[in-house]
Amino acid sequence: MEKKFRRYDIDWLRVFVFSLLIIYHSGMFFVPWGWHIKNNNIYDWLKWPMLFLNQWRLPILFLISGMGTFYALSKRNIWQFNKERFLRLGIPLVFGMLVIVPPQVYFERLAQGQFQGSYWSYLSTIAYDGIYPEGNLSWHHLWFLPYLLVFSVLLSPFFLYMKNNKNRYIRWISKVIQKPYGLYIFTIPLYLLESLLEPFYDITHDLINDWFNFFSSMTLFFFGFVMVACGPILWNAIERIRTKAFYLGIICFIGMLITWQFEDGYTRHFTEAFLKIVNLWSWILVLLGYAAKYQNKPSPLLSYANRAVYPFYILHQTVTVGIAYYIKDLQWSLLLKATILIVGTFLICWLIYHLIILKIKPLHPLFGLKKVFNYILCKKLNI
């Protein structure tokens, strides 16, 4: 990516949202929803802040990924781009499924009484038999990678055409988003998907039968590219709307809480779909707006953290599940267990990343890292 085009606020947001992922997955240990390992005490009230995060945490990740794709295409042709996508997404996915994810399934089988024995005996017997959940082979939290890879390959010809040709579509979007609330035009396709497709497809993360999640995520990925293609017009529009978006987000989330009190029906469904989409889009605009205002600047810490995000993402859930298994039956408070889970996950991931992954170059492609790393950066940070 050319330095003059780099948006440091997008890098900061990427770090922030992936950090929230660790906190969110730690929270899954304590809430009533199904997850791989559950605490001996479940806290029903915790689902409300989790629901708030759940509205926009994945949508903004796909949007940011689409934005990053715009810059990734700046110096690449379509073959170079897709080759780079395969190396940075496909290889870590296969490695993750074979090495990183199996411990998660192992701890889950132990907790549910479906397996007894050491991890090595699990690896040598049933670890790779069948597809999860009936079997044990899975991509678990790494589902984001195959989706992103497929989106990149499918949309890359269109992206390259749009980038090389100032087409009417981008010019039209640029005009629309300059109008009051013009940025909310992106909610229309999302609302149609949410209201018309979501009722028929559960979110499975299996890529094959996950049509609602597939199309809504790809739409957000596409929007990220289109928005950045609008150039400075986008960031000026976001600056003007961020405060209004903040209030809209609060109103819509409260509205969702109210609609959940009514019985299911057409009126509730279409109302809830509208509130959900405006809510998640509003918080995306809020995060983009305030990051652009306060965080669009480089720093050694950002350079280090931005590079560490991908390995942390690959590692984190295995670490979280492992810690959760050993503390799940202890009679400790929510605060103590949550602190151990979150701090422990961050610390162990950092130790593995900084002391092992960075030092052993053959591991770099397995965790999606580029070949060159500036060790001077570590010295500047005293780490």
Side-chain angles (χ1 to χ4, degrees), residues 14 71 74 91 98 117 126 152 182 184 208 225 240 248 257 261 265 267 277 280 285 293 306 315 321 346 377:
R14 182 170 175 264
Y71 298 114
S74 62
I91 291 177
L98 296 177
I126 65 170
S152 299
Y184 281 86
I208 305 301
F225 186 97
R240 291 193 300 268
L248 267 176
L257 297 179
Q261 309 310 311
T267 301
I277 295 304
L280 74 84
L285 294 180
K293 181 177 181 179
N306 194 41
L315 292 168
V321 168
F346 272 105
L377 179 63

Side-chain angles (χ1 to χ4, degrees), residues 40-221:
N40 55 359
N41 291 315
I42 300 299
Y43 301 89
D44 192 67
W45 64 267
L46 194 58
K47 69 183 181 183
W48 301 111
M50 293 280 286
L51 279 168
F52 172 72
L53 289 178
N54 201 37
Q55 298 299 305
W56 49 263
R57 64 183 184 88
L58 288 174
I60 197 172
L61 273 180
F62 280 108
L63 191 85
I64 290 172
S65 298
M67 289 179 167
T69 299
F70 178 88
Y71 298 114
L73 277 168
S74 62
K75 289 186 176 181
R76 296 179 178 92
N77 59 36
I78 192 169
W79 163 249
Q80 293 169 330
F81 171 75
N82 284 316
K83 178 183 177 182
E84 187 266 350
R85 291 292 87 187
F86 173 77
L87 292 175
R88 298 206 59 201
L89 297 172
I91 291 177
L93 174 63
V94 174
F95 172 74
M97 291 177 66
L98 296 177
V99 177
I100 304 299
V101 172
Q104 296 181 43
V105 185
Y106 170 69
F107 285 122
E108 181 179 347
R109 299 305 184 212
L110 288 181
Q112 296 177 353
Q114 298 172 332
F115 184 83
Q116 294 181 341
S118 68
Y119 179 63
W120 303 113
S121 64
Y122 171 76
L123 275 182
S124 60
T125 53
I126 65 170
Y128 304 113
D129 291 347
I131 304 300
Y132 183 91
E134 292 78 13
N136 299 295
L137 185 63
S138 173
W139 51 45
H140 269 39
H141 68 294
L142 301 179
W143 68 269
F144 182 77
L145 301 184
Y147 281 64
L148 207 57
L149 180 58
V150 171
F151 297 164
S152 299
V153 172
L154 290 179
L155 294 176
S156 58
F158 188 56
F159 283 164
L160 201 62
Y161 172 79
M162 286 180 21
K163 193 166 179 63
N164 293 333
N165 300 274
K166 299 284 186 180
N167 58 45
R168 289 180 296 175
Y169 179 73
I170 296 298
R171 291 196 296 269
W172 178 75
I173 289 291
S174 297
K175 291 180 180 179
V176 171
I177 64 176
Q178 294 180 71
K179 299 178 180 179
Y181 297 97
L183 278 164
Y184 281 86
I185 192 174
F186 294 102
T187 62
I188 297 174
L190 295 173
Y191 174 72
L192 293 175
L193 289 169
E194 181 70 32
S195 60
L196 301 178
L197 195 61
E198 187 273 341
F200 302 101
Y201 294 98
D202 293 330
I203 296 178
T204 62
H205 296 156
D206 66 359
L207 192 62
I208 305 301
N209 304 299
D210 197 22
W211 292 112
F212 164 68
N213 185 41
F214 180 89
F215 283 114
S216 60
S217 299
M218 185 165 64
T219 301
L220 287 157
F221 179 74

